[in-house]
Amino acid sequence: MRKLIVSAIVSLDGYFEGPGRDVMALPMDGFFDEHNLERLRAADTLLLGATTYLGFKSYWPPVAEDPALSPAVAADPAVADLHREIARRNNEIHKVVVSDSLTEADTAPWTDTTTVVRRADAHRTITKLKEQPGRDILVFGSRTLWNVLLTAGLVDELYLMVGAAALGAGTPAFDPHHPLPRLHLMEARHRNASDNVLLRYRPTA
C-alpha cells in the first residue's frame, strides 16, 4: 500500500503563511529545498489543492529551463541545481488536483500530467490511489486539503519544517474546524547551515 505524505513549512508560531497569504514570509532555505527534492524523488504522484497547483504551474516550468528565474536562486546561486531538478520533477510527475472549479483548460502546460478530481470524489479517489502499487503520494502546500485528509485518517506521515521566523499573524497551519489526530514524533532533523528544524510525524488513532 502506498503512503500519503504531507510536507509543509510552518513558522515558529504555527502559521502556514503570513498576512495577505504571503507564503514567502517563511524562511525557505537550502535545507527546505533539499527536503522537498528528497520527497519528490520518493514519490510518483503529487496531490494538490487548486491554489497550490496554480501557483506551482506558473512558477516551476520556466525554472526547469533557467533556474535563475527563481527568486531563491537569485538570492543564493548555490541552490540552482536543486531548483532545476525540483522544477523538472514537478513538470514530469503525475499530478492530482482536487478542485470543483478547475477544468482541463486551466492545466496547461501540465495538461498531460494532470488529473482533476472533484471534492466529492476526493476521498474515494485518494483511497484507491493508496491501494495501487507505486511510490509515495506527496502533498505540498495545499493546507486546506491536507487538514481534511489528516482528519479523515488518510495521511500516513506529516513532515513539518519549522522555520526560524515568528509571523505574528496569517493562516494557521492547522484548521481549528478539523480535529487533529494524535501525532507520534518519528524523527527530528536539522542542518548546521540552517536555523530551520524538520519534524516527521506519524498520525495515530
Side-chain angles (χ1 to χ4, degrees):
M1 189 170 181
R2 301 162 76 187
K3 289 183 179 180
L4 195 158
I5 308 295
V6 171
S7 183
I9 184 169
V10 301
S11 67
L12 280 173
D13 48 353
Y15 289 102
F16 176 79
E17 55 195 4
R21 305 195 69 177
D22 181 12
V23 297
M24 301 310 293
L26 291 158
M28 301 179 191
D29 62 1
F31 183 28
F32 174 76
D33 294 330
E34 289 173 2
H35 169 67
N36 286 344
L37 181 53
E38 180 182 316
R39 300 274 57 80
L40 277 167
R41 286 171 173 169
D44 61 13
T45 302
L46 194 56
L47 176 63
L48 304 170
T51 300
T52 300
Y53 175 81
L54 291 173
F56 273 28
K57 83 178 187 74
S58 66
Y59 183 91
W60 288 112
V63 174
E65 300 302 323
D66 184 3
L69 294 174
S70 166
V73 174
D76 181 7
V79 300
D81 288 342
L82 283 173
H83 276 241
R84 181 184 287 108
E85 185 175 349
I86 289 170
R88 289 180 176 174
R89 287 181 180 272
N90 279 330
N91 284 347
E92 295 166 1
I93 196 169
H94 176 222
K95 289 163 280 287
V96 176
V97 55
V98 177
S99 173
D100 288 337
S101 59
L102 293 187
T103 68
E104 184 175 313
D106 301 309
T107 60
W110 282 350
T111 303
D112 291 344
T113 60
T114 297
T115 302
V116 178
V117 174
R118 300 309 174 198
R119 290 179 183 272
D121 300 324
H123 286 195
R124 180 171 63 253
T125 300
I126 293 165
T127 298
K128 288 182 178 179
L129 282 173
K130 291 184 67 175
E131 292 171 348
Q132 295 171 2
R135 308 181 78 185
D136 291 345
I137 303 165
L138 176 61
V139 182
F140 279 149
S142 310
R143 173 257 192 190
T144 300
L145 175 62
W146 65 253
N147 268 265
V148 172
L149 298 179
L150 193 59
T151 300
L154 291 172
V155 174
D156 296 289
E157 293 183 9
L158 172 64
Y159 286 84
L160 290 180
M161 181 160 286
V162 181
L167 303 185
T171 305
F174 295 98
D175 187 337
H177 297 100
H178 293 282
L180 180 66
R182 183 175 180 180
L183 300 175
H184 171 68
L185 181 64
M186 301 173 67
E187 179 186 10
R189 195 192 316 172
H190 76 282
R191 195 181 72 172
N192 289 338
S194 175
D195 293 319
N196 295 346
V197 176
L198 180 65
L199 304 176
R200 178 186 175 205
Y201 292 99
R202 183 182 71 244
T204 60

